Amino acid sequence: MAAIAATPRTLRASTMRQREQSVRKIQKKQPQKLNKKSQSKGLAPNTAPNRSGRVSPRKRKLAADGLPATQGRPPANLTPSKTSSATLHEDMSPDRPKRRRVGKPPTSTHDSAMAARASATTTSTAHNGHTNMVSNLASGIKAVQDEQELEAKCYVDEYVIPDVAGVFDAAWPISVTDRLCAAEYATTIHQRLEQFITPTVKPPAQAARGRVRSGRNVRRHCSQAAKALLRGSSTECGTQPAGTEAQLKDYSLLRRWVSLDSRLDGSDSMAAGAKEEICLWASAFIGFVADQLEVVATPKSHSAKPRRLIALNQLESAAAAANVDGCSCIDVAIATEVDSTSQVSESQIDGPCFKNAALSIGVKRFPSEQNRAYWQLAQRTHTLHSTQINRRFAWGLTVCGTHVRACLFGNDDILTSEVMDVATESGRKQFVTLLVNWAMCESQRLGYDSTIRYNGETGQWEIDVWDDESRVTHTYIHERTLFDTSSQFGRRTRCFIASAKENSGEQPVQKVLIKDAWAPTEFPGSEVVRDELSNLRTIRDKLGADDVLAGTYSHLEAGGVVQQMQTKQRTADDTTVSIFADIDSAVLEDVPDRIYRRVATTPVGEQLKSVRSVDELIVVVSDVMAAHTAIVRRCGILHRDLSTNNIMFCRDDDGMIRGLLIDFDNAVLQSDLHNEQRPDQIGTFPYMSIGNLEQSSVKRTALDDWESLIYILCWLGTIGINREDQTNVEIRSDLTICHWHDGSATNIAKAKRRTLQHSDLFGNEILACFAHPLLYANLARLILELRSQLFYNERLSSLAQGCIDFDPMYSSIRNAELRTHYLDCNIDTTVVDPFARRAEFADAIVDDLLRVVQKYRKAALERIKDAQISE
């Protein structure tokens, strides 16, 4: 019998059997040594290493959990610990991932998981600095995002008015002809959409065998029928739309969106589409309506050409996404294209992109996330207001699963429509009608300003300023935006630097400061609550002939209510009443009415942080307070809002500067202040006076604005007076002056009282923390003298000094003191509030304060001239 040749497989098996027998013999002879080795590795006594001398990670894990080290898997009744497959690998310890060869990518899912775990568990021994830097950057970005989301949430909680039926009507075209055309187009497009979603054409029978097509052939035929419907082919669909041929696209995504169950919630995450898918579905819906509108919209007399709605999607348009201005990106937006001959450009200068979109869309997966969609949309809409110069108000959409809502962002509220459920035919019809109305309506109905337009020939923005007195429109060329609106609600004040358009070229171009804001009124048709335009006219008429004060305050050139274009032949005052004219007045009962006003003033100043030295800063504040005093005494107007933004300066050709006081938005007639039982809280929060913060019953005087000046100078001394100094200063949160800026009004007032009460405390905690104590020495001396004259004036008794109420137990001593020459000797001693006693002698104290700043101004001018001579 022939011998059977040994194959490599049989040899390998025999060799393994021999090794196993040898291992058993060794285990019988030396059981204690193996147990000791196991114990030295931190294992249970009955846990032995494998043949290679290493301990299996599975055995090590089981031993750590107190489980028996069986040969197979753990018993079924035991719940394994949450350990990844990489941790249970045979030849690696649980604390160290398996190494992959350098330069070779992962070759399998297991290798990918190993690489991911290795990246996640790598210690920061070699890259500790880089890791900390990335961590700090991520935490900083996260903090900004959290702050923005919190701000948007507060907006929504305070301003959202849900389920307003008239929101859809606010999008109707103003023109009756355009309105009728829009209704006709919307009906036709809705019918086409329903036919496309559910094709009524049956598959033809096969001629050879007489059988009906099934499966993939049916789907293919339905798709061809839908495409034929888009083309308007009459062979299968029976409809022939008039107009140009629409773009041929595959809109199968629409079927997926409208087939979703509108009742899905967060537990049905598998049934609902991903957020990215919903973005694509919404974009496909908008694109379908836009394409069909080009087909059905026929040229008609006296009707406007529809603008094309363009859906911008982050997943599809990288170029559009790159033009986002803001910390958070927009998921989906709708941009528009208009005819190049249109008088009003809708920000289509750089082509359709996110920063000049007509409206934003907040997308979430489920209807239960509606509030989060509102928060997201509020952030996106704020971006539109801050980047678009010709924006009055804004529309928005929220898409939560199949639920679509239109949002109208006003100055004091967010009006939201009823739900448009695209899973139902009625919801789809409403959505189609809304999109068609947006394509057909006038640009001012979309929230654009017809008085701010882009001139394509010159490549410049033009701004119209209507003057109520002369009944003439002045046109200016926009040069740059000085202040942008910090909020999409409220007054929404903005400032632009512009030049006169009608300049002949023979004279120097006159620059003006254009400011527009939505001023509130008490009721429709009434005057605004705080009439800045009236105040500027009063100041111009009474101080215009004073050459000494020329250039130190805002001089009115033109101003009035913005005249918004209603039709081609008619304009009207731009008010929130006209914007919400189609909405039930009962819904807006608690919403204040506002008037859109715009003024042009001269001169145009520079921001305070552009001063070159402390001496220039002293000159600026001295000029500003001289103008402030003249306006109070000769015009009877109190500014009430001194801040770093409202104090500016102008520089002459010879290099000399003068201060400029602007922004009389919060100014009020002093005669009106005496009629108030409790003055309102007005101004910029960090610079408000103590009485303003506490809303005390003490009447407001010029002393409140002088107190604000002290806070402004202290803050500039701490952070640096100009851009160069501010870049090299780091503000610590533990500084006392930070308590003047953060917290509630009551806490800020307490912090200011405590610090200003004692001179040592004020010097050590405020003046000693200046950015450059030596360079800012003159500024510190000026602040000390202003504090002394304001809070500790020697012409007043001790009852009128300090920041804390006087203790009545010392009244006998003060009674004898008041019989002397003090100014407040005739005021009853029961008045222990020093602010109330000082308010009675505001004019005398202001004279002392003016003498202080004028003395320092004179010395500062001498130092400036000496510096110019030496240069």
Side-chain angles (χ1 to χ4, degrees):
M1 188 173 180
I4 300 177
T7 63
R9 183 174 181 178
T10 57
L11 291 175
R12 186 162 53 249
S14 62
T15 303
M16 293 182 64
R17 284 195 296 271
Q18 293 176 2
R19 289 180 178 177
E20 290 177 0
Q21 293 175 1
S22 301
V23 170
R24 292 193 189 98
K25 293 180 180 179
I26 294 174
Q27 291 176 351
K28 290 181 180 179
K29 294 180 180 180
Q30 300 176 344
Q32 297 297 329
K33 292 183 179 181
L34 290 177
N35 286 337
K36 290 181 179 180
K37 182 183 292 187
S38 301
Q39 294 177 4
S40 65
K41 291 180 176 289
L43 306 176
N46 60 344
T47 304
N50 55 21
R51 292 189 295 269
S52 62
R54 300 177 180 175
V55 179
S56 170
R58 180 182 61 80
K59 294 182 179 180
R60 183 186 296 272
K61 177 62 179 173
L62 294 175
D65 295 339
L67 301 177
T70 56
Q71 293 294 332
R73 294 183 178 180
N77 59 347
L78 296 178
T79 303
S81 302
K82 293 183 178 180
T83 308
S84 63
S85 58
T87 307
L88 299 180
H89 197 272
E90 181 73 20
D91 292 328
M92 58 175 283
S93 65
D95 298 327
R96 182 177 180 181
K98 180 181 178 181
R99 287 187 177 180
R100 181 173 54 84
R101 281 182 284 180
V102 178
K104 297 189 68 176
T107 57
S108 64
T109 304
H110 177 73
D111 292 338
S112 300
M114 295 282 293
R117 183 178 184 275
S119 174
T121 56
T122 302
T123 60
S124 59
T125 303
H127 306 283
N128 190 28
H130 175 72
T131 303
N132 292 338
M133 180 182 67
V134 173
S135 176
N136 293 337
L137 179 61
S139 61
I141 296 175
K142 183 65 167 57
V144 172
Q145 293 175 347
D146 292 344
E147 181 180 357
Q148 291 181 343
E149 184 171 353
L150 179 60
E151 181 183 8
K153 180 179 178 181
C154 294
Y155 281 162
V156 170
D157 292 342
E158 185 174 357
Y159 298 115
V160 166
I161 303 178
D163 300 330
V164 179
V167 170
F168 297 119
D169 298 335
W172 279 108
I174 300 175
S175 170
V176 177
T177 303
D178 293 342
R179 185 172 297 195
L180 295 175
C181 291
E184 178 184 348
Y185 298 157
T187 301
T188 304
I189 295 174
H190 172 250
Q191 293 174 354
R192 287 173 168 267
L193 176 64
E194 296 304 317
Q195 293 176 7
F196 174 75
I197 293 174
T198 56
T200 58
V201 181
K202 295 182 179 180
Q206 293 185 1
R209 301 182 181 179
R211 292 183 301 178
V212 179
R213 296 181 182 180
S214 60
R216 183 180 302 176
N217 293 331
V218 172
R219 293 193 298 270
R220 183 184 297 113
H221 179 77
C222 292
S223 179
Q224 293 173 356
K227 293 179 180 179
L229 175 64
L230 286 176
R231 291 193 299 267
S233 174
S234 59
T235 57
E236 295 184 355
C237 300
T239 57
Q240 179 66 40
T244 60
E245 182 181 358
Q247 298 179 1
L248 183 58
K249 298 180 180 179
D250 186 5
Y251 290 109
S252 58
L253 296 174
L254 295 178
R255 297 192 183 96
R256 170 64 174 148
W257 192 21
V258 301
S259 63
L260 289 180
D261 188 352
S262 60
R263 297 170 297 178
L264 292 177
D265 55 18
S267 61
D268 303 318
S269 58
M270 297 301 295
K275 180 179 178 180
E276 293 77 9
E277 292 180 305
I278 298 179
C279 293
L280 294 175
W281 299 340
S283 301
F285 195 106
I286 298 168
F288 181 91
V289 175
D291 290 344
Q292 290 302 297
L293 186 58
E294 289 188 351
V295 176
V296 302
T298 58
K300 297 183 179 180
S301 60
H302 306 292
S303 64
K305 178 183 178 181
R307 61 177 61 84
R308 177 172 177 82
L309 303 181
I310 303 173
L312 303 176
N313 196 311
Q314 290 280 10
L315 302 177
E316 295 180 338
S317 179
N323 286 328
V324 175
D325 287 345
C327 297
S328 54
C329 64
I330 303 174
D331 297 324
V332 183
I334 297 179
T336 60
E337 282 184 355
V338 295
D339 187 8
S340 59
T341 61
S342 176
Q343 295 181 356
V344 181
S345 173
E346 298 175 359
S347 300
Q348 271 61 266
I349 304 173
D350 303 324
C353 59
F354 283 98
K355 71 178 181 180
N356 56 33
L359 57 97
S360 301
I361 304 177
V363 180
K364 295 297 178 184
R365 298 182 64 192
F366 307 105
S368 59
E369 297 180 291
Q370 183 65 59
N371 284 338
R372 294 183 59 190
Y374 286 145
W375 303 339
Q376 175 183 343
L377 185 62
Q379 292 177 336
R380 309 314 191 248
T381 306
H382 183 213
T383 303
L384 295 185
H385 278 288
S386 61
T387 57
Q388 298 180 5
I389 184 178
N390 59 339
R391 175 66 66 177
R392 293 162 56 235
F393 63 91
W395 286 89
L397 282 176
T398 61
V399 178
C400 301
T402 62
H403 287 188
V404 181
R405 291 178 184 266
C407 301
L408 181 56
F409 287 80
N411 293 79
D412 300 277
D413 47 42
I414 306 174
L415 305 179
T416 67
S417 69
E418 298 172 335
V419 174
M420 298 175 284
D421 191 352
V422 296
T424 63
E425 182 180 355
S426 60
R428 292 191 292 269
K429 183 177 181 179
Q430 282 183 315
F431 194 17
V432 170
T433 303
L434 179 64
L435 294 175
V436 173
N437 286 338
W438 281 341
M440 292 290 296
C441 70
E442 295 78 6
S443 61
Q444 56 266 28
R445 299 284 271 182
L446 282 178
Y448 292 106
D449 191 346
S450 61
T451 63
I452 301 179
R453 58 195 172 276
Y454 183 75
N455 191 329
E457 296 180 358
T458 61
Q460 296 173 321
W461 284 95
E462 297 178 355
I463 304 177
D464 292 339
V465 179
W466 168 259
D467 188 68
D468 289 341
E469 288 186 328
S470 62
R471 312 297 293 179
V472 175
T473 298
H474 301 267
T475 302
Y476 299 93
I477 304 300
H478 173 269
E479 294 187 2
R480 64 186 177 94
T481 300
L482 188 62
F483 296 121
D484 201 354
T485 174
S486 59
S487 172
Q488 66 196 48
F489 297 104
R491 299 178 68 92
R492 289 214 301 260
T493 304
R494 303 180 302 175
C495 292
F496 312 109
I497 295 179
S499 56
K501 180 181 180 181
E502 57 271 11
N503 189 283
S504 61
E506 299 177 357
Q507 299 178 353
V509 178
Q510 182 189 26
K511 292 187 177 182
V512 297
L513 179 67
I514 297 179
K515 173 186 175 182
D516 57 23
W518 291 83
T521 62
E522 293 183 0
F523 51 87
S526 66
E527 295 294 330
V528 297
V529 177
R530 297 185 298 272
D531 194 347
E532 180 185 21
L533 184 59
S534 177
N535 292 333
L536 289 175
R537 285 174 179 155
T538 302
I539 295 172
R540 180 191 61 185
D541 296 340
K542 294 189 176 182
L543 301 182
D546 194 333
D547 296 334
V548 177
L549 296 175
T552 59
Y553 60 88
S554 296
H555 182 272
L556 180 65
E557 299 291 337
V561 180
V562 175
Q563 299 297 298
Q564 203 62 234
M565 187 73 68
Q566 297 297 319
T567 62
K568 293 182 179 180
Q569 294 83 19
R570 185 173 64 90
T571 61
D573 291 350
D574 196 4
T575 64
T576 54
V577 175
S578 61
I579 295 174
F580 302 137
D582 299 303
I583 297 175
D584 187 4
S585 58
V587 177
L588 306 175
E589 184 178 1
D590 297 331
V591 178
D593 298 307
R594 294 180 179 271
I595 298 178
Y596 192 24
R597 286 192 166 185
R598 184 175 295 147
V599 297
T601 60
T602 56
V604 175
E606 299 181 45
Q607 291 179 303
L608 200 57
K609 57 185 177 183
S610 298
V611 297
R612 300 171 183 172
S613 63
V614 169
D615 292 329
E616 287 192 349
L617 176 62
I618 293 174
V619 172
V620 168
V621 297
S622 176
D623 293 342
V624 165
M625 297 315 296
H628 178 276
T629 303
I631 292 172
V632 171
R633 294 179 175 177
R634 295 164 60 178
C635 304
I637 297 174
L638 185 62
H639 191 280
R640 299 200 304 172
D641 190 16
L642 287 189
S643 67
T644 54
N645 290 332
N646 297 336
I647 297 177
M648 306 184 74
F649 70 93
C650 299
R651 192 178 299 276
D652 297 334
D653 296 335
D654 57 357
M656 297 304 296
I657 66 171
R658 63 182 183 276
L660 174 63
L661 180 62
I662 67 169
D663 192 4
F664 290 82
D665 248 351
N666 295 319
V668 66
L669 294 176
Q670 284 190 306
S671 58
D672 295 340
L673 290 176
H674 298 298
N675 299 328
E676 295 184 7
Q677 296 295 330
R678 182 175 292 273
D680 52 358
Q681 192 178 66
I682 292 296
T684 305
F685 216 63
Y687 312 119
M688 286 184 184
S689 65
I690 295 175
N692 197 358
L693 287 168
E694 296 176 343
Q695 289 186 279
S696 67
S697 58
V698 178
K699 65 179 181 180
R700 301 290 183 263
T701 64
L703 298 182
D704 290 273
D705 287 347
W706 280 93
E707 185 179 341
S708 297
L709 177 66
I710 293 178
Y711 302 140
I712 292 171
L713 296 179
C714 290
W715 179 249
L716 291 176
T718 304
I719 68 171
I721 62 171
N722 51 33
R723 293 187 181 91
E724 183 180 357
D725 292 350
Q726 291 174 5
T727 56
N728 301 324
V729 175
E730 181 179 357
I731 305 300
R732 304 194 318 269
S733 59
D734 60 339
L735 293 178
T736 300
I737 199 171
C738 292
H739 300 303
W740 294 3
H741 287 248
D742 301 328
S744 63
T746 303
N747 292 335
I748 293 177
K750 289 181 179 179
K752 289 180 177 180
R753 280 183 183 271
R754 168 186 168 274
T755 309
L756 292 169
Q757 178 68 19
H758 305 286
S759 58
D760 294 340
L761 196 63
F762 182 74
N764 295 332
E765 296 188 1
I766 302 297
L767 302 182
C769 297
F770 276 9
H772 305 282
L774 295 179
L775 294 178
Y776 294 176
N778 291 325
L779 179 62
R781 297 189 188 99
L782 172 61
I783 296 173
L784 277 176
E785 289 201 35
L786 290 176
R787 171 187 170 275
S788 177
Q789 292 295 337
L790 180 58
F791 297 106
Y792 293 92
N793 195 294
E794 295 179 354
R795 300 168 65 183
L796 300 175
S797 67
S798 300
L799 284 174
Q801 295 183 358
C803 303
I804 301 177
D805 293 354
F806 179 71
D807 192 347
M809 66 179 296
Y810 298 102
S811 58
S812 58
I813 300 176
R814 300 311 177 195
N815 285 334
E817 181 182 334
L818 288 176
R819 287 193 290 268
T820 59
H821 60 281
Y822 291 111
L823 294 176
D824 58 332
C825 60
N826 294 326
I827 299 179
D828 193 349
T829 57
T830 57
V831 180
V832 295
D833 185 355
F835 291 94
R837 300 183 73 91
R838 288 195 295 264
E840 298 296 329
F841 307 96
D843 290 341
I845 299 176
V846 167
D847 290 336
D848 296 339
L849 293 169
L850 272 177
R851 281 192 288 270
V852 171
V853 294
Q854 289 173 356
K855 178 183 68 174
Y856 276 84
R857 181 184 188 275
K858 182 178 179 180
L861 284 176
E862 293 178 356
R863 289 191 293 268
I864 292 175
K865 292 179 180 179
D866 293 341
Q868 292 177 347
I869 294 174
S870 62
E871 291 178 357

